[in-house]
Amino acid sequence: MRLQTVLSVLSTDPSLPTIQGQHVLDLSEIGWTVSSTALNRIVPGHLPSQVHLDLYAAGVIGRYYGLNDFNLRWIADANWTYTSEPLRDLQKDAKSSWLVFNGLDTFATVDFCGQTVGTADNQFRQWIFDVSQILEDCRSDPVLSINFGSAPNIVNAIANDPSSEVWPARIQEAQVFEYPNRWFMRKEQSDFGWDWGPAFAPAGPWQPAYIVQLENEQAIYITNTDLDTYRKGQINHLPPDQSQPWVVNASIDFIGEVPSDALMSVLVSDAKTGEILITGDMFDVTISDGSITGHTVIGAHVPKLWWPNGLGDQNLYNFAISISTKESQTLASITKRTGFRTIFLNRLNITEDQIALGIAPGANWHFEVNGHEFYAKGSNIIPPDTFWPRVTETKMRRLLKAVVAGNQNMLRVWASGAYLPDFIYDIADEEGIFLWSEFQFGDALYPVDKAFLENVAAEVTYNVRRVNHHPSLALWAGGNEIESLMLPAVKAADPTAFVSLILPLVYENTRSISYMPSSTNNGYLGVNLSSPVPMAERYWNITPGKYYGDTDHYNYDSSVAFDTSSYPVGRFANEFGYHSMPSVQTWQQALDPQDLYFNSSVVMLRNHHYPMGGLSTDNLSKSALGMGEMTRSVERYYPLPRHSDRIANFSAWCHATQIFQADFYKSQIQFYRRGSGMPERQLGALYWQLEDIWQAPSWAGIEYDGRWKTLHYVAKDIYRPIIVSPFWNHNTSVLEIYATSDLWKPAAGTVRMTWLDMAGKPLPGNAGTPSVVDFQVGAINTTRIYSTHFADLSLSNLTNSILILSLTATAERTESTFSHENYFTPSFPKDLALRDPHLELSYSKDTGKFTVKATSGVSLYTWIDYPAGIIGYFEENSFVLLPGESREVGFVMQENPSGEDSWIKGVTVQSLWDQGN
Ligand code: BMA
């Protein structure tokens, strides 16, 4: 055990405050044990941690494996106690002593020196307890113990309490995944099960914690910081005036006493070069309720702006803020890294000027960075692990680098998981990924009693202040699918006061971030900040032909998957998707060899679409529906795997479900992006979902350990700045080709269109289609470059099954060249007369790249695969190769634990032909 002044930590972590006269004991550095009546022994514990992790470390339970989701329920059903070793080095004569928990998961009773200090009931809050008196009275070396009650049992007890809120059963019960009654707790909702994850319902001290001792009257300890950088006069729901100077408002929460005439100063320096931008006092310093607040204006000094990935550099600045007495004695200082940008969600009504440009009336629904609208390309992030304490910076950096490599600039931090820790925002700040963030409510109605709302208010205030300095923060939304799913069920406005409680709390703590009450919504009718309901939501006051909001789209009837008339037309697509299997390499991490087949009971029990709806594990009918959807989508469109080897056949089936998933998303993303030049002026596509929480079938594009599914490669391709896309109307047999660009300047280029047969032989006269078409496309816009009725092509009686139209777009702008390849077949893949392309794969030690060559026949969905044991991604994958064509593809290694290059020998290549042969 080691007591340290925070000063000594500063050299390694500048975000920690420096303070004189303060002792901080980091509770991660002391010894802990974990005990429960459910376990006949006491095991070593850790902090931060959760019970499952400590039981795993002690060898009591196994890893994320098989049916552990169900077999380990005894852990969630029990109460657990974390007990510290006796704390010998605490100061008895400190002026005050505090327990500071940055997070307790969730229902906790805290005892110190044998006395109860307090209780906690919200995983998302910081909990601070004054233990000065207890420590003074303590006759021995104090022991800290934290008892965590079973969340499933506690919420059931709340639900059974006659005074608790009740809702019509049909509403809430439809939202039960495994454990019921999740809406009575402020804990990660997906801990009780979700349609892509397990229900381990973990408990424990999941965030860092400290004992803080203040030695004297002037010592303070900083608990949270709200740093807000905005354009002068900025109001959250209105477009910021980019000609105004930047204002920096800093509000610092502390424990201890600050003299009423204390001063604040700030030094802003370039995080890369150290060059000082400004330094000086902050103005209008006020102190109230444990916070000190001041501001300054960065007048004549023009900082470099922060931009998201693809739109500019991620310029960052360090803000060193000090609190001092008027005699210039520094009481505390803290450094936060931030960036200068405005990010605004525009939901204003469409103007006459916009209508004159061809934009359909209604309301806007798009983001603007630094005053420019842009096309948001990305996906939805879910908790990357059930057990947050083991989510490392390495894992998250790897994931966010994959997001950047995938040409994405925005992630939606879906509500029903957890608020992201600061280190993930830090990585997003560096990588240029906007994080649309949500308050953690989803797919349920929540209580509105006073105690619940007070708890929510503390959670909202803490988290808005905590993450506000991150330039990657893009938006606050009230929750997931509250408006679209829950409100129609109750026909009531503002459940859990998403407008009347949360909106004012957001606006009080940030001027720089927009707020909307629910993820998918039809916008608002008006905003009046002095009204008790400050935002009048539009809900269903809509007029046909006008567009208002963002859309989500899930249609598991795969027969219409490629019929674009089944897709929603709106201003922004914030969720859409279909599930697929993970790769066989990932399944092997979680399954015994005998369970590696498509509908094995273990596979089915790990498939939670559709959710069990309760704790029963003997009913596979719900899972069968989801498995059936995957099977049917493959049967409908692709050659069926027919390998005699069981594992090879399983692998081919898994891959086939991924191909369908990727094709379906590609079809939608092309459609949404084309919408940027259509009356709906569509400006965003965030698919469901970025990554997996465990090894199981899901909507993810990246598997639990970081391996890319076909989807992530295909999304990377279709999120390129300029794309060429075919649109085939199955009903009218009209084929249209569009070029779409999300560049901020117009672009010009050519599209080469070549009709071939499956042997790669060009069709005579190119079937009457021009070989090369010049195109021009406006900024964030689309242009139709070719259209034909299928009957008008000169196909000289060739059957559809042998036809393929290859499309290659090239566009030059002074700074770079953009290219994109795509193709169209009038038949679905299963009906194509595929020929073996006889793929050849080689590896060059000199270039470190693989070369794939198709020697005969068109190779569709050319798929390079790497063996288990490493993590990384190929520069491209799932592409088309024409006969004689070869492609050099690099592999970006992200993790190679053995450091050896034996994996290279395990790399394979296959195409659609191999699926069925
Ligand atoms: C949406 C999401 C999630 C869910 C996904 C797949 O409803 O908001 O709640 O996991 O669809 O069903």
Side-chain angles (χ1 to χ4, degrees):
M1 179 169 90
R2 190 162 58 91
L3 262 179
Q4 60 188 7
T5 64
V6 176
L7 207 53
S8 63
V9 185
L10 183 72
S11 54
T12 52
D13 186 354
S15 67
L16 285 177
T18 66
I19 294 162
Q20 310 288 349
Q22 172 203 101
H23 280 81
V24 177
L25 172 63
D26 182 341
L27 293 175
S28 67
E29 296 193 350
I30 63 164
W32 289 92
T33 57
V34 180
S35 58
S36 169
T37 52
L39 188 69
N40 57 6
R41 55 189 261 227
I42 293 174
V43 299
H46 301 86
L47 186 149
S49 189
Q50 283 165 324
V51 172
H52 290 76
L53 296 176
D54 286 323
L55 295 183
Y56 174 62
V60 176
I61 61 170
R63 60 196 162 93
Y64 245 19
Y65 200 83
L67 298 180
N68 277 350
D69 175 17
F70 311 128
N71 298 338
L72 298 181
R73 282 187 181 150
W74 61 274
I75 303 172
D77 292 341
N79 301 338
W80 295 87
T81 303
Y82 277 74
T83 308
S84 77
E85 61 180 319
L87 305 173
R88 293 198 181 83
D89 298 340
L90 294 179
Q91 305 207 327
K92 284 276 183 169
D93 56 351
K95 185 171 171 286
S96 62
S97 301
W98 308 79
L99 283 172
V100 178
F101 295 99
N102 283 349
L104 292 168
D105 179 13
T106 290
F107 296 100
T109 303
V110 180
D111 283 13
F112 193 51
C113 195
Q115 288 197 47
T116 297
V117 169
T119 57
D121 60 359
N122 186 329
Q123 177 182 5
F124 307 125
R125 285 172 63 181
Q126 184 185 46
W127 294 93
I128 301 172
F129 302 104
D130 183 348
V131 289
S132 314
Q133 194 60 50
I134 295 178
L135 193 60
E136 212 178 302
D137 298 343
C138 193
R139 308 223 173 282
S140 56
D141 291 330
V143 167
L144 174 62
S145 80
I146 318 161
N147 180 269
F148 292 92
S150 156
N153 291 342
I154 290 170
V155 292
N156 287 347
I158 298 173
N160 290 332
D161 184 327
S163 69
S164 287
E165 194 158 343
V166 283
W167 298 270
R170 72 190 154 80
I171 296 175
Q172 300 291 74
E173 276 166 19
Q175 305 306 325
V176 173
F177 294 86
E178 289 183 42
Y179 288 108
N181 295 317
R182 62 183 166 84
W183 36 88
F184 286 113
M185 63 184 186
R186 294 311 301 138
K187 168 172 173 58
E188 179 160 298
Q189 300 283 283
S190 61
D191 282 349
F192 273 28
W194 213 263
D195 55 5
W196 33 255
F200 288 107
W206 74 304
Q207 294 282 340
Y210 308 92
I211 295 181
V212 175
Q213 296 198 279
L214 304 179
E215 284 175 2
N216 53 49
E217 303 277 325
Q218 299 221 311
I220 58 172
Y221 176 80
I222 295 177
T223 52
N224 199 15
T225 305
D226 182 6
L227 187 63
D228 199 21
T229 306
Y230 52 88
R231 295 285 189 183
K232 196 169 176 197
Q234 189 170 334
I235 297 173
N236 309 58
H237 62 278
L238 295 173
D241 178 350
Q242 303 295 328
S243 67
Q244 291 295 321
W246 292 99
V247 179
V248 176
N249 194 72
S251 182
I252 297 176
D253 302 334
F254 59 86
I255 45 185
E257 302 278 327
V258 166
S260 59
D261 55 359
L263 304 173
M264 289 173 87
S265 62
V266 63
L267 185 150
V268 182
S269 59
D270 187 311
K272 213 189 263 163
T273 64
E275 193 185 327
I276 293 174
L277 183 72
I278 59 151
T279 177
D281 286 339
M282 302 194 90
F283 304 103
D284 301 328
V285 174
T286 56
I287 302 167
S288 69
D289 295 336
S291 307
I292 179 165
T293 305
H295 71 264
T296 192
V297 177
I298 304 194
H301 312 272
V302 182
K304 289 179 272 182
L305 298 178
W306 183 96
W307 297 95
N309 170 38
L311 298 176
D313 294 335
Q314 289 74 55
N315 295 302
L316 296 168
Y317 288 85
N318 286 326
F319 280 56
I321 299 164
S322 296
I323 306 170
S324 55
T325 62
K326 70 174 194 308
E327 292 79 26
S328 302
Q329 186 203 341
T330 303
L331 299 173
S333 58
I334 188 159
T335 300
K336 292 275 167 185
R337 195 185 60 182
T338 186
F340 292 90
R341 57 91 185 91
T342 63
I343 177 68
F344 168 59
L345 174 64
N346 188 339
R347 296 196 297 160
L348 298 168
N349 286 339
I350 296 288
T351 62
E352 289 303 321
D353 286 352
Q354 287 181 296
I355 291 172
L357 291 172
I359 298 177
N364 287 282
W365 204 111
H366 67 260
F367 290 93
E368 294 172 9
V369 61
N370 297 325
H372 300 269
E373 59 185 23
F374 67 100
Y375 199 93
K377 299 185 286 196
S379 51
N380 287 260
I381 184 171
I382 62 156
D385 201 304
T386 296
F387 306 110
W388 277 99
R390 72 172 177 190
V391 175
T392 60
E393 194 178 324
T394 309
K395 179 177 171 113
M396 292 315 293
R397 201 170 282 281
R398 187 173 68 211
L399 184 64
L400 295 201
K401 289 227 177 262
V403 170
V404 171
N407 291 320
Q408 304 193 11
N409 57 30
M410 184 178 284
L411 298 175
R412 172 175 165 244
V413 186
W414 166 82
S416 287
Y419 300 88
L420 293 185
D422 275 276
F423 77 87
I424 302 180
Y425 282 95
D426 278 330
I427 302 171
D429 294 344
E430 289 161 21
E431 299 292 338
I433 302 163
F434 267 131
L435 297 174
W436 151 348
S437 303
E438 303 199 334
F439 297 109
Q440 295 301 326
F441 302 88
D443 297 333
L445 295 170
Y446 289 85
V448 286
D449 60 87
K450 191 161 168 278
F452 193 87
L453 292 184
E454 278 172 9
N455 202 358
V456 167
E459 163 190 335
V460 167
T461 304
Y462 173 64
N463 285 290
V464 170
R465 293 172 73 80
R466 178 176 67 83
V467 303
N468 198 49
H469 60 284
H470 293 286
S472 57
L473 176 64
L475 172 71
W476 279 111
N480 176 53
E481 298 178 326
I482 302 288
E483 176 174 324
S484 58
L485 209 67
M486 302 318 297
L487 287 193
V490 284
K491 295 270 178 253
D494 199 16
T496 322
F498 287 103
V499 176
S500 50
L501 175 76
I502 297 182
L503 184 146
L505 289 173
V506 174
Y507 280 25
E508 271 162 34
N509 288 291
T510 178
R511 298 275 296 260
S512 51
I513 299 297
S514 313
Y515 172 76
M516 61 179 192
S518 182
S519 55
T520 310
N521 64 77
N522 280 331
Y524 55 73
L525 293 169
V527 178
N528 176 359
L529 296 184
S530 46
S531 156
V533 181
M535 189 177 272
E537 291 288 84
R538 185 184 314 277
Y539 296 133
W540 291 275
N541 295 314
I542 54 176
T543 309
K546 296 187 176 183
Y547 302 108
Y548 304 94
D550 57 343
T551 60
D552 71 9
H553 180 60
Y554 294 95
N555 187 346
Y556 298 103
D557 172 6
S558 55
S559 69
V560 293
F562 302 109
D563 176 353
T564 56
S565 71
S566 68
Y567 304 162
V569 179
R571 305 286 189 196
F572 192 108
N574 64 310
E575 278 193 40
F576 51 95
Y578 202 97
H579 52 308
S580 72
M581 294 281 262
S583 65
V584 70
Q585 293 95 323
T586 289
W587 272 127
Q588 279 165 332
Q589 298 165 11
L591 259 52
D592 289 338
Q594 72 270 17
D595 296 323
L596 291 168
Y597 58 98
F598 199 83
N599 283 322
S600 74
S601 60
V602 186
V603 166
M604 289 186 70
L605 286 165
R606 288 178 78 105
N607 172 49
H608 292 183
H609 171 70
Y610 293 80
M612 298 273 186
L615 294 170
S616 153
T617 54
D618 57 7
N619 176 1
L620 292 180
S621 62
K622 293 274 185 60
S623 174
L625 295 174
M627 299 300 290
E629 287 166 355
M630 284 190 282
T631 310
R632 262 194 306 287
S633 62
V634 172
E635 287 170 347
R636 204 164 248 144
Y637 298 111
Y638 305 94
L640 293 184
R642 291 181 220 287
H643 301 282
S644 52
D645 178 80
R646 179 169 58 90
I647 304 293
N649 210 47
F650 180 56
S651 176
W653 263 101
C654 293
H655 188 55
T657 66
Q658 292 191 15
I659 291 179
F660 168 74
Q661 179 194 33
D663 274 348
F664 187 20
Y665 286 49
K666 176 178 175 178
S667 177
Q668 287 190 69
I669 292 170
Q670 297 180 139
F671 176 79
Y672 299 134
R673 288 193 60 184
R674 186 182 69 166
S676 65
M678 298 290 175
E680 66 268 25
R681 184 67 174 155
Q682 210 278 4
L683 287 175
L686 309 180
Y687 62 81
W688 186 267
Q689 66 195 61
L690 173 67
E691 39 40 297
D692 262 328
I693 194 169
W694 70 334
Q695 309 91 336
S698 83
W699 296 254
I702 298 183
E703 297 172 7
Y704 173 62
D705 69 356
R707 177 180 290 266
W708 293 18
K709 283 183 175 176
T710 310
L711 168 59
H712 201 77
Y713 289 108
V714 168
K716 168 184 161 93
D717 174 69
I718 210 65
Y719 278 151
R720 285 169 187 246
I722 296 182
I723 54 168
V724 54
S725 315
F727 289 88
W728 169 242
N729 186 320
H730 295 270
N731 303 321
T732 62
S733 291
V734 169
L735 172 67
E736 297 175 299
I737 311 291
Y738 279 82
T740 303
S741 165
D742 70 345
L743 297 175
W744 275 345
K745 295 206 173 115
T750 56
V751 173
R752 182 169 292 278
M753 300 192 282
T754 315
W755 280 102
L756 305 151
D757 67 18
M758 279 290 137
K761 198 162 110 243
L763 299 198
N766 204 27
T769 299
S771 300
V772 179
V773 183
D774 293 333
F775 72 88
Q776 294 195 323
V777 60
I780 320 180
N781 215 322
T782 195
T783 181
R784 191 174 68 181
I785 57 170
Y786 178 65
S787 169
T788 184
H789 194 285
F790 204 70
D792 296 339
L793 292 170
S794 43
L795 295 167
S796 32
N797 298 330
L798 294 172
T799 82
N800 282 1
S801 65
I802 63 161
L803 301 177
I804 179 166
L805 172 64
S806 148
L807 302 164
T808 308
T810 325
E812 308 265 348
R813 287 199 48 82
T814 31
E815 63 283 22
S816 33
T817 302
F818 299 92
S819 61
H820 184 238
E821 290 182 10
N822 211 334
Y823 71 99
F824 163 73
T825 59
S827 295
F828 287 121
K830 80 167 164 50
D831 300 321
L832 289 174
L834 295 171
R835 298 162 67 116
D836 185 354
H838 291 288
L839 292 170
E840 288 176 2
L841 174 72
S842 58
Y843 176 76
S844 157
K845 271 203 164 130
D846 297 340
T847 60
K849 294 194 178 214
F850 295 87
T851 301
V852 187
K853 186 172 182 191
T855 58
S856 60
V858 175
S859 173
L860 294 175
Y861 304 87
T862 313
W863 180 248
I864 328 174
D865 203 9
Y866 66 86
I870 56 164
I871 296 299
Y873 57 90
F874 294 100
E875 288 165 340
E876 51 183 321
N877 218 342
S878 203
F879 45 84
V880 176
L881 282 180
L882 302 180
E885 213 183 344
S886 62
R887 177 117 6 137
E888 210 183 42
V889 182
F891 182 79
V892 179
M893 180 66 77
Q894 294 189 295
E895 201 178 298
N896 182 2
S898 78
E900 288 167 13
D901 58 10
S902 50
W903 64 274
I904 293 169
K905 286 201 242 57
V907 171
T908 58
V909 69
Q910 56 168 313
S911 72
L912 193 66
W913 187 86
D914 300 279
Q915 281 290 104
N917 286 280

